[in-house]
């Protein structure tokens, strides 16, 4: 009676999830791809690369940069790890996954086609600097 137990039955291999961390110094956003399922409630994720970019929503002066996932481009040295299926968001119906560790817990939120994330603060400034260096190198190489 009551609510249905969380299950991984409607989570697809290849789906993308993101984990956002925020603190007083800014925010980070990492992406993960579903690479397997274990039993009825567990999901295996593996970290994937992300691409930084600027658009009209960004505030570069505050170190704000947008990021999008690069499916299938797994981060080197990052092995798959297991998380639990939790539930679907009551707001937008997206799947939510979670992991619990001795010192912290993490939530992973489903990313739909075309969705992006955001970096700001220190991590955003580092990404902005890398974008500027890449742009300068491209201009230098094309000149």
């Amino acid at each position: 009676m009551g609510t249905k137990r969380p299950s991984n039955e409607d989570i697809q291999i290849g789906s993308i999830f993101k984990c956002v961390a925020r603190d007083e110094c800014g925010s980070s956003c990492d992406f993960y791809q579903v690479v397997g399922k274990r039993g009825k409630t567990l999901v295996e994720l593996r970290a994937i690369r992300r691409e930084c970019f600027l658009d009209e929503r960004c505030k570069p002066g505050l170190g704000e940069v947008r990021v999008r996932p690069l499916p299938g481009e797994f981060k080197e040295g990052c092995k798959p790890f297991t998380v639990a299926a939790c539930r679907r968001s009551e707001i937008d119906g997206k799947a939510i996954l979670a992991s619990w560790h001795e010192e912290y817990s993490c939530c992973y939120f489903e990313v739909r086609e075309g969705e992006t994330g955001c970096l700001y603060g220190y991590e955003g400034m580092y990404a902005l600097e890398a974008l500027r260096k890449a742009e300068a190198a491209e201009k230098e190489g094309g000149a």
Side-chain angles (χ1 to χ4, degrees):
M1 329 207 168
T3 61
K4 179 182 169 188
R5 296 196 70 172
S7 162
N8 65 13
E9 67 189 23
D10 58 348
I11 296 172
Q12 304 300 313
I13 303 289
S15 295
I16 306 296
F17 284 77
K18 71 179 173 180
C19 181
V20 177
R22 292 182 176 93
D23 63 21
E24 64 275 359
C25 296
S27 77
S28 66
C29 178
D30 293 307
F31 295 101
Y32 301 86
Q33 190 164 359
V34 176
V35 294
K37 295 182 187 183
R38 298 175 90 193
K40 294 182 180 183
T41 61
L42 301 177
V43 176
E44 288 186 333
L45 295 178
R46 187 167 176 201
I48 58 174
R49 294 180 53 239
R50 64 185 183 203
E51 178 181 40
C52 297
F53 65 97
L54 295 173
D55 68 12
E56 69 281 347
R57 298 172 288 180
C58 296
K59 299 177 185 87
L62 299 176
E64 190 173 283
V65 175
R66 303 298 299 178
V67 290
R68 63 181 141 243
L70 297 172
E73 293 189 29
F74 298 104
K75 286 186 177 179
E76 237 180 89
C78 293
K79 296 182 180 192
F81 60 96
T82 304
V83 297
C86 286
R87 59 182 170 81
R88 292 225 162 240
S89 167
E90 293 175 11
I91 296 169
D92 56 16
K94 292 180 185 177
I96 301 172
L97 307 174
S99 63
W100 296 269
H101 305 279
E102 289 180 18
E103 298 156 11
Y104 63 93
S105 62
C106 292
C107 287
Y108 304 86
F109 301 91
E110 184 178 15
V111 174
R112 295 200 175 133
E113 185 72 31
E115 286 185 49
T116 62
C118 183
L119 306 176
Y120 66 88
Y122 288 137
E123 189 158 357
M125 292 302 272
Y126 295 135
L128 188 58
E129 182 63 24
L131 283 171
R132 288 180 177 150
K133 283 182 181 178
E135 184 180 317
E138 190 176 298
K139 283 182 183 177
E140 210 172 273

